[in-house]
Amino acid sequence: MSTDVEDEASEAVEAADRETRGSLVRSLLAVVANVGVLTALLVYFGWVRSDQMAKMLGIDEAILGMTVDDYVRRSVQPVVLLPICAAIAGLAWVGLDQWLRRRRIRFGGDDRIVTWVARWMWLIAVGVFALGLVLGLIGYAITYIAAPLVCAGGMLLLLYGLMLRGGLRNAVRFAPMTEGVLRGAIAILVAIGLFWSAMNYATVEGTELARDFPNQIEKLPGVMVDSAAPLDIVSPGVDVACAGSGEDLRYRYRGLRLLESTGGKYFLISDEWTFDYGVVVMLPVDGDGLRFTFVRDVHGIADAGGFGPCASVDPEPEVAGQG
């Protein structure tokens, strides 16, 4: 008789554990897999990355006039790494949970290892959370990115440890409302950890892109700009040639490269751009009298289309007034 009662109690505990795990997974997936959350993460990542790089280049990100689509396209590939990390952590959790369940089934609920893990998992979780805080203080790029993820993992381990502790004999389980509030709070903190890690990742990537920017200039598309009026582009490596005369006079600017194309504008830099003296030129894509030619040779052909050195304009001689 006592054996039947123990079996029924064990089955009840197993059923409660399964329900707890299921509700926990549903709560986390509702936050992580939400389309709105993922879209916001992509947009925020793209904005932070662009803002950090723009500051390093000496311009304001708002000048670029990027749209939501621009932000998303620039952040899809890097942000994919965060769900991959979350998926790997989830697989590790599944492996740990299955191992504990097998030991409980094989050796019973009083197994020494199962009992120890259930009793002290919360302490391990606190240690993981503290490790995340320490990583954030070290200062390396990888630790700066990983710190919020480790803290989020510590919060998940804490919730899991509390659920395991509630399954021990004579343990007092959380009330349903209390457990729901606890799961919701943990889910919010985990989502904040993902956003925080994405922000750190975007900051690091934007900074690294900006630092390496002088070495990447030669890989950018070369641009020649023809205009009906002088543009007065003054930047190292940019020269101007002219063709025609009078009202048919046209100007051609060479030595430019395409930095960005967004918001109906081209953002151009010179071939000799440096952090000490770098100029970003903004020209409308459909500007009157403007024509853009994208070339392999950034300096173009000196006499292409009859273009040559611009003749200097001498000031008109003064006319002496009659006395």
Side-chain angles (χ1 to χ4, degrees):
M1 184 66 177
S2 61
T3 303
D4 294 339
V5 172
E6 290 180 357
D7 291 342
E8 292 178 0
S10 177
E11 291 177 0
V13 171
E14 287 292 332
D17 288 344
R18 286 194 296 271
E19 177 62 25
T20 297
R21 296 184 184 94
S23 60
L24 174 60
V25 172
R26 286 193 298 270
S27 299
L28 293 175
L29 290 179
V31 174
V32 176
N34 186 280
V35 175
V37 172
L38 290 178
T39 302
L41 185 63
L42 289 170
V43 173
Y44 186 67
F45 183 97
W47 177 81
V48 172
R49 175 182 178 273
S50 300
D51 182 64
Q52 189 67 24
M53 184 173 180
K55 288 179 180 178
M56 295 284 289
L57 297 180
I59 61 175
D60 192 297
E61 189 274 338
I63 297 176
L64 300 176
M66 289 187 177
T67 63
V68 172
D69 181 63
D70 293 326
Y71 291 136
V72 171
R73 285 189 291 106
R74 286 164 172 77
S75 60
V76 169
Q77 182 175 354
V79 170
V80 165
L81 295 176
L82 293 178
I84 291 176
C85 292
I88 293 175
L91 292 175
W93 174 77
V94 169
L96 173 63
D97 186 64
Q98 286 296 105
W99 178 70
L100 290 175
R101 290 189 64 191
R102 289 194 185 97
R103 287 197 64 92
R104 174 176 287 184
I105 293 173
R106 182 179 301 177
F107 303 108
D110 293 329
D111 177 65
R112 180 172 58 87
I113 294 180
V114 172
T115 302
W116 187 92
V117 172
R119 191 179 302 277
W120 298 108
M121 177 62 76
W122 69 270
L123 187 59
I124 298 175
V126 172
V128 172
F129 186 85
L131 175 62
L133 296 179
V134 172
L135 290 177
L137 298 175
I138 291 178
Y140 292 107
I142 186 65
T143 59
Y144 183 65
I145 297 171
L149 290 179
V150 175
C151 289
M155 297 301 299
L156 290 176
L157 285 177
L158 177 62
L159 178 60
Y160 183 50
L162 294 176
M163 297 299 103
L164 289 177
R165 193 179 181 87
L168 295 175
R169 293 184 184 276
N170 301 322
V172 178
R173 300 178 65 88
F174 288 105
M177 180 176 293
T178 304
E179 185 176 331
V181 172
L182 178 63
R183 290 201 308 268
I186 294 293
I188 292 174
L189 291 175
V190 170
I192 292 175
L194 289 176
F195 273 94
W196 197 345
S197 180
M199 180 185 69
N200 292 354
Y201 187 13
T203 301
V204 170
E205 185 175 75
T207 302
E208 292 299 324
L209 286 174
R211 286 176 177 172
D212 192 50
F213 184 71
N215 299 324
Q216 302 299 321
I217 291 177
E218 62 182 15
K219 299 179 182 179
L220 298 176
V223 183
M224 288 194 307
V225 181
D226 293 354
S227 67
L231 300 177
D232 297 327
I233 300 177
V234 180
S235 183
V238 176
D239 56 68
V240 59
C242 295
S245 60
E247 294 183 355
D248 296 329
L249 180 63
R250 292 193 61 84
Y251 301 84
R252 171 169 292 177
Y253 293 87
R254 300 167 297 174
L256 294 167
R257 296 198 180 258
L258 179 65
L259 174 65
E260 286 283 359
S261 174
T262 181
K265 300 180 182 65
Y266 285 140
F267 294 86
L268 310 174
I269 62 170
S270 67
D271 193 43
E272 298 180 10
W273 189 98
T274 63
F275 283 113
D276 294 330
Y277 185 70
V279 176
V280 178
V281 180
M282 180 179 68
L283 295 174
V285 173
D286 55 354
D288 293 337
L290 292 180
R291 187 181 70 183
F292 300 90
T293 305
F294 297 90
V295 296
R296 287 183 179 272
D297 179 8
V298 71
H299 294 288
I301 302 175
D303 57 352
F307 282 86
C310 294
S312 59
V313 179
D314 297 327
E316 296 183 359
E318 296 182 0
V319 178
Q322 295 180 356

